[in-house]
Amino acid sequence: MAFRTARNLAYFSNYIRNYSTNGPLVNVTVNEKSGFATATLQRPSVNSLNLELLTEISHTLQQLEKNKCRGLILTSASNKVFSAGLDLFELHKPNADKIKQMWSTLQEVWIKLYGSSYPTVAVVNGHAPAGGCMLALSCEYRVMLNNFIIGLNEAQIGFSAPMWLIDGMRNTIGSRQAEFALTAGTLFKTEEALKIGLVDEVAQSKEEAIEKAEKFLNKFAKIPPHARSMTKAALRGANIQALVRNKDEEVRSYVDFVTDSQFQDSLGEFIELNLKQKLSK
Ligand SMILES: CCCCCCCCCCCC/C=C/CC(=O)SCCNC(=O)CCNC(=O)[C@H](O)C(C)(C)COP(=O)(O)OP(=O)(O)OC[C@H]1O[C@@H](n2cnc3c(N)ncnc32)[C@H](O)[C@@H]1OP(=O)(O)O
């Protein structure tokens, strides 16, 4: 049964309503004519990825897959920030169990979005550093608005992006550009990102970006969905399998790394220098 039917749509809306305790952090709408879903991240103020938002994204992706979504547009409710990446305040002086769940859910989001059977586009209508860039990279196509930044700046904060994300970057912009970008932790302006292929198109407004996203999704209208998804799985499967094999070990390394006092000190400094909000003592 296709996701676009009114019955499935109602089921999905109820699911989202029931799932969220404080109102949905991801708003999902479906264009009944095209069958394309738009998932809008709406965790104020910068869609930083805490456990609750990551869990909701993960459940949304699961429902879209289950309901045979015809295409997904991922975007932000903010007109300044697509996503600021992992919630740095939650990584600071953390509860080890919570950050274990956080990293594991982040991995799930990558597996579900990078490996989705349906086509995906990120409408990057704001800044997209680190985990924000990760969400955009998981999609098949990126349309970005002008005057924002995007990139994997992990090296600047004192760590390396995980292997699956490095591979995702490499698959998108090629090995040489990926090496330059990742070792320097570069954040690219929209036009620079277009030049190196980190984004596919630039738009002047969100409306124009959505039109471009729909145009991309419509390219697959006449391609048998199973042929399309088998081909995507063949191209992306090795990345996902490698992560699945390594999942638990990576979570352990991540928890060790993040709870280490050296990392905590440099994270504290980064927050003090870069984020307006001051640490709660
Ligand atoms: C073998 C395998 C091993 C595997 C393990 C290896 C170890 C790996 C360790 C991995 C660690 C985790 C990896 C993480 C990847 C990440 O995603 S880290 C997050 C990186 N994010 C950033 O660097 C972004 C920082 N923010 C900004 O640059 C800017 O805020 C912005 C460009 C996004 C927006 O700028 P602007 O519009 O000027 O807004 P601001 O006033 O700066 O911010 C508004 C508001 O938001 C708060 N905020 C911003 N970013 C975050 C964030 N990431 N987390 C939480 N909160 C954030 C900011 O404090 C402001 O709050 P107030 O309004 O002042 O209250």
Side-chain angles (χ1 to χ4, degrees), residues 45-46 48 80-81 84-89 91 103 127 129-131 153-154 157 159-160 250 253-254 257 270 275-277:
S45 59
V46 291
S48 60
K80 276 175 76 181
V81 182
L86 285 188
D87 189 324
L88 292 172
F89 294 98
L91 291 187
W103 193 258
H127 300 301
N153 58 326
E154 279 80 354
I157 319 175
F159 45 82
S160 161
E250 189 185 278
S253 313
Y254 169 72
F257 185 89
F270 182 86
L275 303 182
K276 288 179 193 158
Q277 183 178 314

PDB file of all heavy atoms in Angstrom, residues 45-46 48 80-81 84-89 91 103 127 129-131 153-154 157 159-160 250 253-254 257 270 275-277, ligand 1:
ATOM      1  N   SER A  45      16.830  26.048  19.064  1.00  0.00           N
ATOM      2  CA  SER A  45      16.698  27.013  17.998  1.00  0.00           C
ATOM      3  C   SER A  45      17.505  26.600  16.771  1.00  0.00           C
ATOM      4  O   SER A  45      17.328  27.183  15.705  1.00  0.00           O
ATOM      5  CB  SER A  45      17.170  28.391  18.495  1.00  0.00           C
ATOM      6  OG  SER A  45      18.521  28.299  18.923  1.00  0.00           O
ATOM      7  N   VAL A  46      18.356  25.566  16.915  1.00  0.00           N
ATOM      8  CA  VAL A  46      19.286  25.268  15.814  1.00  0.00           C
ATOM      9  C   VAL A  46      19.248  23.789  15.384  1.00  0.00           C
ATOM     10  O   VAL A  46      20.173  23.305  14.738  1.00  0.00           O
ATOM     11  CB  VAL A  46      20.742  25.686  16.187  1.00  0.00           C
ATOM     12  CG1 VAL A  46      20.881  27.194  16.259  1.00  0.00           C
ATOM     13  CG2 VAL A  46      21.209  25.027  17.479  1.00  0.00           C
ATOM     14  N   SER A  48      19.893  21.233  17.033  1.00  0.00           N
ATOM     15  CA  SER A  48      21.048  20.445  17.469  1.00  0.00           C
ATOM     16  C   SER A  48      20.539  19.052  17.814  1.00  0.00           C
ATOM     17  O   SER A  48      19.416  18.872  18.309  1.00  0.00           O
ATOM     18  CB  SER A  48      21.777  21.118  18.628  1.00  0.00           C
ATOM     19  OG  SER A  48      20.934  21.268  19.727  1.00  0.00           O
ATOM     20  N   LYS A  80      17.624  29.917   9.452  1.00  0.00           N
ATOM     21  CA  LYS A  80      19.065  30.222   9.598  1.00  0.00           C
ATOM     22  C   LYS A  80      19.934  28.979   9.720  1.00  0.00           C
ATOM     23  O   LYS A  80      21.085  28.979   9.321  1.00  0.00           O
ATOM     24  CB  LYS A  80      19.276  31.071  10.867  1.00  0.00           C
ATOM     25  CG  LYS A  80      19.037  32.564  10.645  1.00  0.00           C
ATOM     26  CD  LYS A  80      19.147  33.332  11.945  1.00  0.00           C
ATOM     27  CE  LYS A  80      20.597  33.524  12.385  1.00  0.00           C
ATOM     28  NZ  LYS A  80      20.672  34.248  13.680  1.00  0.00           N
ATOM     29  N   VAL A  81      19.375  27.934  10.321  1.00  0.00           N
ATOM     30  CA  VAL A  81      20.192  26.745  10.589  1.00  0.00           C
ATOM     31  C   VAL A  81      19.449  25.477  10.146  1.00  0.00           C
ATOM     32  O   VAL A  81      18.322  25.237  10.576  1.00  0.00           O
ATOM     33  CB  VAL A  81      20.554  26.643  12.093  1.00  0.00           C
ATOM     34  CG1 VAL A  81      21.448  25.432  12.341  1.00  0.00           C
ATOM     35  CG2 VAL A  81      21.260  27.908  12.576  1.00  0.00           C
ATOM     36  N   ALA A  84      22.699  22.273  13.577  1.00  0.00           N
ATOM     37  CA  ALA A  84      24.023  22.650  14.118  1.00  0.00           C
ATOM     38  C   ALA A  84      24.848  21.421  14.487  1.00  0.00           C
ATOM     39  O   ALA A  84      25.907  21.549  15.093  1.00  0.00           O
ATOM     40  CB  ALA A  84      23.847  23.551  15.325  1.00  0.00           C
ATOM     41  N   GLY A  85      24.361  20.220  14.148  1.00  0.00           N
ATOM     42  CA  GLY A  85      25.117  19.005  14.471  1.00  0.00           C
ATOM     43  C   GLY A  85      24.770  18.511  15.862  1.00  0.00           C
ATOM     44  O   GLY A  85      23.768  18.940  16.465  1.00  0.00           O
ATOM     45  N   LEU A  86      25.608  17.625  16.384  1.00  0.00           N
ATOM     46  CA  LEU A  86      25.310  17.061  17.702  1.00  0.00           C
ATOM     47  C   LEU A  86      25.173  18.163  18.743  1.00  0.00           C
ATOM     48  O   LEU A  86      25.876  19.185  18.669  1.00  0.00           O
ATOM     49  CB  LEU A  86      26.422  16.103  18.134  1.00  0.00           C
ATOM     50  CG  LEU A  86      26.450  14.741  17.437  1.00  0.00           C
ATOM     51  CD1 LEU A  86      27.486  13.851  18.105  1.00  0.00           C
ATOM     52  CD2 LEU A  86      25.095  14.055  17.444  1.00  0.00           C
ATOM     53  N   ASP A  87      24.282  17.934  19.685  1.00  0.00           N
ATOM     54  CA  ASP A  87      24.068  18.903  20.751  1.00  0.00           C
ATOM     55  C   ASP A  87      25.298  18.911  21.659  1.00  0.00           C
ATOM     56  O   ASP A  87      25.512  17.979  22.443  1.00  0.00           O
ATOM     57  CB  ASP A  87      22.805  18.537  21.541  1.00  0.00           C
ATOM     58  CG  ASP A  87      22.429  19.630  22.518  1.00  0.00           C
ATOM     59  OD1 ASP A  87      23.347  20.258  23.093  1.00  0.00           O
ATOM     60  OD2 ASP A  87      21.234  19.860  22.702  1.00  0.00           O
ATOM     61  N   LEU A  88      26.102  19.953  21.511  1.00  0.00           N
ATOM     62  CA  LEU A  88      27.381  19.994  22.235  1.00  0.00           C
ATOM     63  C   LEU A  88      27.179  20.135  23.735  1.00  0.00           C
ATOM     64  O   LEU A  88      28.014  19.679  24.517  1.00  0.00           O
ATOM     65  CB  LEU A  88      28.242  21.138  21.687  1.00  0.00           C
ATOM     66  CG  LEU A  88      28.741  20.911  20.251  1.00  0.00           C
ATOM     67  CD1 LEU A  88      29.424  22.157  19.700  1.00  0.00           C
ATOM     68  CD2 LEU A  88      29.690  19.718  20.177  1.00  0.00           C
ATOM     69  N   PHE A  89      26.072  20.716  24.129  1.00  0.00           N
ATOM     70  CA  PHE A  89      25.813  20.829  25.569  1.00  0.00           C
ATOM     71  C   PHE A  89      25.508  19.456  26.174  1.00  0.00           C
ATOM     72  O   PHE A  89      25.796  19.214  27.330  1.00  0.00           O
ATOM     73  CB  PHE A  89      24.677  21.823  25.845  1.00  0.00           C
ATOM     74  CG  PHE A  89      25.069  23.231  25.473  1.00  0.00           C
ATOM     75  CD1 PHE A  89      24.683  23.768  24.254  1.00  0.00           C
ATOM     76  CD2 PHE A  89      25.860  23.994  26.318  1.00  0.00           C
ATOM     77  CE1 PHE A  89      25.082  25.055  23.887  1.00  0.00           C
ATOM     78  CE2 PHE A  89      26.257  25.281  25.960  1.00  0.00           C
ATOM     79  CZ  PHE A  89      25.867  25.806  24.741  1.00  0.00           C
ATOM     80  N   LEU A  91      26.919  16.744  25.104  1.00  0.00           N
ATOM     81  CA  LEU A  91      28.187  15.988  25.118  1.00  0.00           C
ATOM     82  C   LEU A  91      29.090  16.451  26.255  1.00  0.00           C
ATOM     83  O   LEU A  91      30.059  15.790  26.587  1.00  0.00           O
ATOM     84  CB  LEU A  91      28.945  16.175  23.800  1.00  0.00           C
ATOM     85  CG  LEU A  91      28.364  15.554  22.536  1.00  0.00           C
ATOM     86  CD1 LEU A  91      29.337  15.716  21.383  1.00  0.00           C
ATOM     87  CD2 LEU A  91      28.048  14.091  22.749  1.00  0.00           C
ATOM     88  N   TRP A 103      24.906   8.021  20.373  1.00  0.00           N
ATOM     89  CA  TRP A 103      25.758   7.632  19.238  1.00  0.00           C
ATOM     90  C   TRP A 103      25.128   6.471  18.482  1.00  0.00           C
ATOM     91  O   TRP A 103      25.135   6.439  17.246  1.00  0.00           O
ATOM     92  CB  TRP A 103      27.170   7.264  19.713  1.00  0.00           C
ATOM     93  CG  TRP A 103      28.137   7.176  18.568  1.00  0.00           C
ATOM     94  CD1 TRP A 103      28.590   6.047  17.976  1.00  0.00           C
ATOM     95  CD2 TRP A 103      28.726   8.266  17.851  1.00  0.00           C
ATOM     96  NE1 TRP A 103      29.449   6.351  16.945  1.00  0.00           N
ATOM     97  CE2 TRP A 103      29.548   7.713  16.846  1.00  0.00           C
ATOM     98  CE3 TRP A 103      28.649   9.655  17.971  1.00  0.00           C
ATOM     99  CZ2 TRP A 103      30.283   8.494  15.948  1.00  0.00           C
ATOM    100  CZ3 TRP A 103      29.393  10.434  17.080  1.00  0.00           C
ATOM    101  CH2 TRP A 103      30.187   9.848  16.086  1.00  0.00           C
ATOM    102  N   HIS A 127      22.635  26.952   7.995  1.00  0.00           N
ATOM    103  CA  HIS A 127      23.967  26.386   8.244  1.00  0.00           C
ATOM    104  C   HIS A 127      23.873  24.881   8.517  1.00  0.00           C
ATOM    105  O   HIS A 127      22.928  24.408   9.146  1.00  0.00           O
ATOM    106  CB  HIS A 127      24.612  27.055   9.462  1.00  0.00           C
ATOM    107  CG  HIS A 127      24.795  28.540   9.293  1.00  0.00           C
ATOM    108  ND1 HIS A 127      25.545  29.079   8.279  1.00  0.00           N
ATOM    109  CD2 HIS A 127      24.315  29.597  10.021  1.00  0.00           C
ATOM    110  CE1 HIS A 127      25.538  30.414   8.387  1.00  0.00           C
ATOM    111  NE2 HIS A 127      24.794  30.742   9.425  1.00  0.00           N
ATOM    112  N   PRO A 129      26.808  22.570   9.819  1.00  0.00           N
ATOM    113  CA  PRO A 129      28.114  22.035  10.226  1.00  0.00           C
ATOM    114  C   PRO A 129      27.988  20.611  10.773  1.00  0.00           C
ATOM    115  O   PRO A 129      26.929  20.208  11.265  1.00  0.00           O
ATOM    116  CB  PRO A 129      28.543  23.001  11.345  1.00  0.00           C
ATOM    117  CG  PRO A 129      27.266  23.478  11.944  1.00  0.00           C
ATOM    118  CD  PRO A 129      26.238  23.499  10.822  1.00  0.00           C
ATOM    119  N   ALA A 130      29.068  19.851  10.690  1.00  0.00           N
ATOM    120  CA  ALA A 130      29.218  18.529  11.338  1.00  0.00           C
ATOM    121  C   ALA A 130      27.998  17.624  11.130  1.00  0.00           C
ATOM    122  O   ALA A 130      27.690  17.237  10.007  1.00  0.00           O
ATOM    123  CB  ALA A 130      29.552  18.728  12.820  1.00  0.00           C
ATOM    124  N   GLY A 131      27.297  17.286  12.234  1.00  0.00           N
ATOM    125  CA  GLY A 131      26.133  16.398  12.115  1.00  0.00           C
ATOM    126  C   GLY A 131      25.070  16.943  11.166  1.00  0.00           C
ATOM    127  O   GLY A 131      24.292  16.166  10.595  1.00  0.00           O
ATOM    128  N   ASN A 153      33.405  19.766  10.280  1.00  0.00           N
ATOM    129  CA  ASN A 153      34.431  20.529  10.994  1.00  0.00           C
ATOM    130  C   ASN A 153      34.951  19.790  12.227  1.00  0.00           C
ATOM    131  O   ASN A 153      35.547  20.399  13.114  1.00  0.00           O
ATOM    132  CB  ASN A 153      33.881  21.898  11.409  1.00  0.00           C
ATOM    133  CG  ASN A 153      32.636  21.806  12.278  1.00  0.00           C
ATOM    134  OD1 ASN A 153      31.824  20.909  12.110  1.00  0.00           O
ATOM    135  ND2 ASN A 153      32.482  22.728  13.206  1.00  0.00           N
ATOM    136  N   GLU A 154      34.749  18.464  12.283  1.00  0.00           N
ATOM    137  CA  GLU A 154      35.144  17.695  13.472  1.00  0.00           C
ATOM    138  C   GLU A 154      36.604  17.938  13.855  1.00  0.00           C
ATOM    139  O   GLU A 154      36.922  18.070  15.040  1.00  0.00           O
ATOM    140  CB  GLU A 154      34.917  16.193  13.241  1.00  0.00           C
ATOM    141  CG  GLU A 154      33.477  15.738  13.440  1.00  0.00           C
ATOM    142  CD  GLU A 154      32.560  16.020  12.258  1.00  0.00           C
ATOM    143  OE1 GLU A 154      33.007  16.683  11.298  1.00  0.00           O
ATOM    144  OE2 GLU A 154      31.399  15.576  12.291  1.00  0.00           O
ATOM    145  N   ILE A 157      37.234  20.693  16.112  1.00  0.00           N
ATOM    146  CA  ILE A 157      36.763  20.541  17.499  1.00  0.00           C
ATOM    147  C   ILE A 157      37.618  19.529  18.256  1.00  0.00           C
ATOM    148  O   ILE A 157      37.468  19.337  19.457  1.00  0.00           O
ATOM    149  CB  ILE A 157      35.270  20.114  17.534  1.00  0.00           C
ATOM    150  CG1 ILE A 157      34.466  20.886  16.478  1.00  0.00           C
ATOM    151  CG2 ILE A 157      34.659  20.344  18.904  1.00  0.00           C
ATOM    152  CD1 ILE A 157      33.020  20.443  16.365  1.00  0.00           C
ATOM    153  N   PHE A 159      38.466  16.071  17.029  1.00  0.00           N
ATOM    154  CA  PHE A 159      38.328  14.637  16.779  1.00  0.00           C
ATOM    155  C   PHE A 159      38.150  14.378  15.299  1.00  0.00           C
ATOM    156  O   PHE A 159      38.104  15.310  14.489  1.00  0.00           O
ATOM    157  CB  PHE A 159      37.172  14.034  17.580  1.00  0.00           C
ATOM    158  CG  PHE A 159      35.900  14.829  17.550  1.00  0.00           C
ATOM    159  CD1 PHE A 159      35.027  14.721  16.485  1.00  0.00           C
ATOM    160  CD2 PHE A 159      35.585  15.699  18.583  1.00  0.00           C
ATOM    161  CE1 PHE A 159      33.855  15.445  16.467  1.00  0.00           C
ATOM    162  CE2 PHE A 159      34.403  16.428  18.568  1.00  0.00           C
ATOM    163  CZ  PHE A 159      33.539  16.301  17.494  1.00  0.00           C
ATOM    164  N   SER A 160      38.076  13.083  14.973  1.00  0.00           N
ATOM    165  CA  SER A 160      37.903  12.719  13.563  1.00  0.00           C
ATOM    166  C   SER A 160      36.467  12.253  13.356  1.00  0.00           C
ATOM    167  O   SER A 160      35.869  11.637  14.246  1.00  0.00           O
ATOM    168  CB  SER A 160      38.862  11.571  13.239  1.00  0.00           C
ATOM    169  OG  SER A 160      38.433  10.912  12.069  1.00  0.00           O
ATOM    170  N   GLU A 250      32.293   0.663  17.790  1.00  0.00           N
ATOM    171  CA  GLU A 250      32.386   2.109  17.584  1.00  0.00           C
ATOM    172  C   GLU A 250      31.704   2.869  18.716  1.00  0.00           C
ATOM    173  O   GLU A 250      32.208   3.885  19.190  1.00  0.00           O
ATOM    174  CB  GLU A 250      31.775   2.492  16.228  1.00  0.00           C
ATOM    175  CG  GLU A 250      32.044   3.941  15.882  1.00  0.00           C
ATOM    176  CD  GLU A 250      31.367   4.381  14.610  1.00  0.00           C
ATOM    177  OE1 GLU A 250      31.909   4.115  13.530  1.00  0.00           O
ATOM    178  OE2 GLU A 250      30.278   4.987  14.697  1.00  0.00           O
ATOM    179  N   SER A 253      34.096   2.894  21.625  1.00  0.00           N
ATOM    180  CA  SER A 253      35.213   3.847  21.432  1.00  0.00           C
ATOM    181  C   SER A 253      34.733   5.271  21.601  1.00  0.00           C
ATOM    182  O   SER A 253      35.424   6.115  22.179  1.00  0.00           O
ATOM    183  CB  SER A 253      35.806   3.770  20.022  1.00  0.00           C
ATOM    184  OG  SER A 253      36.025   2.471  19.649  1.00  0.00           O
ATOM    185  N   TYR A 254      33.536   5.534  21.086  1.00  0.00           N
ATOM    186  CA  TYR A 254      32.986   6.881  21.150  1.00  0.00           C
ATOM    187  C   TYR A 254      32.750   7.301  22.606  1.00  0.00           C
ATOM    188  O   TYR A 254      33.137   8.395  23.025  1.00  0.00           O
ATOM    189  CB  TYR A 254      31.694   6.927  20.331  1.00  0.00           C
ATOM    190  CG  TYR A 254      30.896   8.182  20.523  1.00  0.00           C
ATOM    191  CD1 TYR A 254      31.336   9.392  19.983  1.00  0.00           C
ATOM    192  CD2 TYR A 254      29.709   8.182  21.237  1.00  0.00           C
ATOM    193  CE1 TYR A 254      30.611  10.557  20.163  1.00  0.00           C
ATOM    194  CE2 TYR A 254      28.981   9.336  21.418  1.00  0.00           C
ATOM    195  CZ  TYR A 254      29.430  10.516  20.879  1.00  0.00           C
ATOM    196  OH  TYR A 254      28.721  11.666  21.067  1.00  0.00           O
ATOM    197  N   PHE A 257      35.977   7.969  24.280  1.00  0.00           N
ATOM    198  CA  PHE A 257      36.573   9.203  23.774  1.00  0.00           C
ATOM    199  C   PHE A 257      35.897  10.431  24.377  1.00  0.00           C
ATOM    200  O   PHE A 257      36.548  11.344  24.872  1.00  0.00           O
ATOM    201  CB  PHE A 257      36.441   9.228  22.246  1.00  0.00           C
ATOM    202  CG  PHE A 257      37.130  10.387  21.590  1.00  0.00           C
ATOM    203  CD1 PHE A 257      38.455  10.293  21.194  1.00  0.00           C
ATOM    204  CD2 PHE A 257      36.456  11.576  21.367  1.00  0.00           C
ATOM    205  CE1 PHE A 257      39.087  11.370  20.592  1.00  0.00           C
ATOM    206  CE2 PHE A 257      37.088  12.659  20.771  1.00  0.00           C
ATOM    207  CZ  PHE A 257      38.397  12.553  20.380  1.00  0.00           C
ATOM    208  N   PHE A 270      35.802  24.934  23.395  1.00  0.00           N
ATOM    209  CA  PHE A 270      35.115  25.197  22.120  1.00  0.00           C
ATOM    210  C   PHE A 270      33.771  25.878  22.371  1.00  0.00           C
ATOM    211  O   PHE A 270      33.423  26.856  21.707  1.00  0.00           O
ATOM    212  CB  PHE A 270      34.901  23.878  21.352  1.00  0.00           C
ATOM    213  CG  PHE A 270      34.237  24.079  20.005  1.00  0.00           C
ATOM    214  CD1 PHE A 270      34.990  24.372  18.875  1.00  0.00           C
ATOM    215  CD2 PHE A 270      32.857  23.982  19.872  1.00  0.00           C
ATOM    216  CE1 PHE A 270      34.383  24.566  17.641  1.00  0.00           C
ATOM    217  CE2 PHE A 270      32.241  24.173  18.636  1.00  0.00           C
ATOM    218  CZ  PHE A 270      33.010  24.470  17.522  1.00  0.00           C
ATOM    219  N   LEU A 275      30.075  29.332  21.142  1.00  0.00           N
ATOM    220  CA  LEU A 275      28.631  29.389  21.339  1.00  0.00           C
ATOM    221  C   LEU A 275      28.299  30.495  22.330  1.00  0.00           C
ATOM    222  O   LEU A 275      28.961  30.625  23.365  1.00  0.00           O
ATOM    223  CB  LEU A 275      28.087  28.046  21.843  1.00  0.00           C
ATOM    224  CG  LEU A 275      28.397  26.846  20.938  1.00  0.00           C
ATOM    225  CD1 LEU A 275      27.777  25.579  21.501  1.00  0.00           C
ATOM    226  CD2 LEU A 275      27.911  27.081  19.515  1.00  0.00           C
ATOM    227  N   LYS A 276      27.274  31.238  22.020  1.00  0.00           N
ATOM    228  CA  LYS A 276      26.934  32.381  22.875  1.00  0.00           C
ATOM    229  C   LYS A 276      26.472  31.910  24.246  1.00  0.00           C
ATOM    230  O   LYS A 276      26.797  32.494  25.266  1.00  0.00           O
ATOM    231  CB  LYS A 276      25.828  33.202  22.209  1.00  0.00           C
ATOM    232  CG  LYS A 276      26.320  33.975  21.016  1.00  0.00           C
ATOM    233  CD  LYS A 276      25.189  34.740  20.386  1.00  0.00           C
ATOM    234  CE  LYS A 276      25.603  35.258  19.015  1.00  0.00           C
ATOM    235  NZ  LYS A 276      24.462  35.540  18.176  1.00  0.00           N
ATOM    236  N   GLN A 277      25.677  30.837  24.235  1.00  0.00           N
ATOM    237  CA  GLN A 277      25.143  30.345  25.508  1.00  0.00           C
ATOM    238  C   GLN A 277      26.299  29.929  26.412  1.00  0.00           C
ATOM    239  O   GLN A 277      27.213  29.252  25.956  1.00  0.00           O
ATOM    240  CB  GLN A 277      24.237  29.147  25.232  1.00  0.00           C
ATOM    241  CG  GLN A 277      23.572  28.581  26.453  1.00  0.00           C
ATOM    242  CD  GLN A 277      22.650  27.433  26.046  1.00  0.00           C
ATOM    243  OE1 GLN A 277      21.895  27.532  25.104  1.00  0.00           O
ATOM    244  NE2 GLN A 277      22.742  26.335  26.749  1.00  0.00           N
TER     245      GLN A 277
HETATM  246  C1  LIG B   1      36.599   3.830  15.875  1.00  0.00           C
HETATM  247  C2  LIG B   1      35.493   4.799  15.806  1.00  0.00           C
HETATM  248  C3  LIG B   1      35.638   5.865  16.779  1.00  0.00           C
HETATM  249  C4  LIG B   1      34.404   6.686  16.768  1.00  0.00           C
HETATM  250  C5  LIG B   1      34.457   7.712  17.778  1.00  0.00           C
HETATM  251  C6  LIG B   1      35.500   8.753  17.455  1.00  0.00           C
HETATM  252  C7  LIG B   1      35.267   9.922  18.278  1.00  0.00           C
HETATM  253  C8  LIG B   1      34.360  10.797  17.580  1.00  0.00           C
HETATM  254  C9  LIG B   1      33.902  11.793  18.506  1.00  0.00           C
HETATM  255  C10 LIG B   1      32.783  12.368  17.824  1.00  0.00           C
HETATM  256  C11 LIG B   1      32.165  13.462  18.607  1.00  0.00           C
HETATM  257  C12 LIG B   1      30.850  13.758  18.071  1.00  0.00           C
HETATM  258  C13 LIG B   1      30.825  14.193  16.665  1.00  0.00           C
HETATM  259  C14 LIG B   1      30.124  15.162  16.456  1.00  0.00           C
HETATM  260  C15 LIG B   1      29.828  15.751  15.247  1.00  0.00           C
HETATM  261  C16 LIG B   1      29.066  16.998  15.600  1.00  0.00           C
HETATM  262  O1  LIG B   1      28.012  17.215  15.096  1.00  0.00           O
HETATM  263  S1  LIG B   1      29.737  18.062  16.755  1.00  0.00           S
HETATM  264  C17 LIG B   1      28.765  19.544  16.624  1.00  0.00           C
HETATM  265  C18 LIG B   1      29.528  20.527  15.866  1.00  0.00           C
HETATM  266  N1  LIG B   1      28.726  21.717  15.679  1.00  0.00           N
HETATM  267  C19 LIG B   1      29.268  22.893  15.513  1.00  0.00           C
HETATM  268  O2  LIG B   1      30.472  23.052  15.485  1.00  0.00           O
HETATM  269  C20 LIG B   1      28.309  24.038  15.349  1.00  0.00           C
HETATM  270  C21 LIG B   1      28.466  25.069  16.409  1.00  0.00           C
HETATM  271  N2  LIG B   1      27.517  26.161  16.184  1.00  0.00           N
HETATM  272  C22 LIG B   1      27.749  27.135  15.285  1.00  0.00           C
HETATM  273  O3  LIG B   1      28.743  27.186  14.603  1.00  0.00           O
HETATM  274  C23 LIG B   1      26.688  28.197  15.179  1.00  0.00           C
HETATM  275  O4  LIG B   1      25.887  28.168  16.335  1.00  0.00           O
HETATM  276  C24 LIG B   1      25.777  28.038  13.926  1.00  0.00           C
HETATM  277  C25 LIG B   1      26.604  28.350  12.662  1.00  0.00           C
HETATM  278  C26 LIG B   1      25.163  26.661  13.826  1.00  0.00           C
HETATM  279  C27 LIG B   1      24.618  29.081  14.007  1.00  0.00           C
HETATM  280  O5  LIG B   1      25.161  30.350  14.200  1.00  0.00           O
HETATM  281  P1  LIG B   1      24.200  31.550  14.656  1.00  0.00           P
HETATM  282  O6  LIG B   1      23.021  31.611  13.781  1.00  0.00           O
HETATM  283  O7  LIG B   1      25.055  32.784  14.769  1.00  0.00           O
HETATM  284  O8  LIG B   1      23.648  31.091  16.076  1.00  0.00           O
HETATM  285  P2  LIG B   1      24.398  31.085  17.490  1.00  0.00           P
HETATM  286  O9  LIG B   1      24.045  32.330  18.202  1.00  0.00           O
HETATM  287  O10 LIG B   1      25.811  30.722  17.359  1.00  0.00           O
HETATM  288  O11 LIG B   1      23.653  29.831  18.176  1.00  0.00           O
HETATM  289  C28 LIG B   1      22.254  29.925  18.499  1.00  0.00           C
HETATM  290  C29 LIG B   1      22.009  29.076  19.737  1.00  0.00           C
HETATM  291  O12 LIG B   1      22.256  27.712  19.434  1.00  0.00           O
HETATM  292  C30 LIG B   1      23.196  27.151  20.340  1.00  0.00           C
HETATM  293  N3  LIG B   1      23.979  26.137  19.599  1.00  0.00           N
HETATM  294  C31 LIG B   1      24.628  26.301  18.445  1.00  0.00           C
HETATM  295  N4  LIG B   1      25.211  25.156  18.059  1.00  0.00           N
HETATM  296  C32 LIG B   1      24.924  24.213  18.982  1.00  0.00           C
HETATM  297  C33 LIG B   1      25.245  22.819  19.135  1.00  0.00           C
HETATM  298  N5  LIG B   1      25.960  22.128  18.247  1.00  0.00           N
HETATM  299  N6  LIG B   1      24.785  22.213  20.239  1.00  0.00           N
HETATM  300  C34 LIG B   1      24.030  22.857  21.151  1.00  0.00           C
HETATM  301  N7  LIG B   1      23.682  24.189  21.059  1.00  0.00           N
HETATM  302  C35 LIG B   1      24.131  24.852  19.983  1.00  0.00           C
HETATM  303  C36 LIG B   1      24.028  28.345  20.782  1.00  0.00           C
HETATM  304  O13 LIG B   1      24.639  28.096  21.995  1.00  0.00           O
HETATM  305  C37 LIG B   1      22.971  29.438  20.867  1.00  0.00           C
HETATM  306  O14 LIG B   1      22.276  29.275  22.073  1.00  0.00           O
HETATM  307  P3  LIG B   1      21.687  30.570  22.831  1.00  0.00           P
HETATM  308  O15 LIG B   1      20.753  31.212  21.865  1.00  0.00           O
HETATM  309  O16 LIG B   1      22.872  31.445  23.152  1.00  0.00           O
HETATM  310  O17 LIG B   1      21.037  30.016  24.040  1.00  0.00           O
END
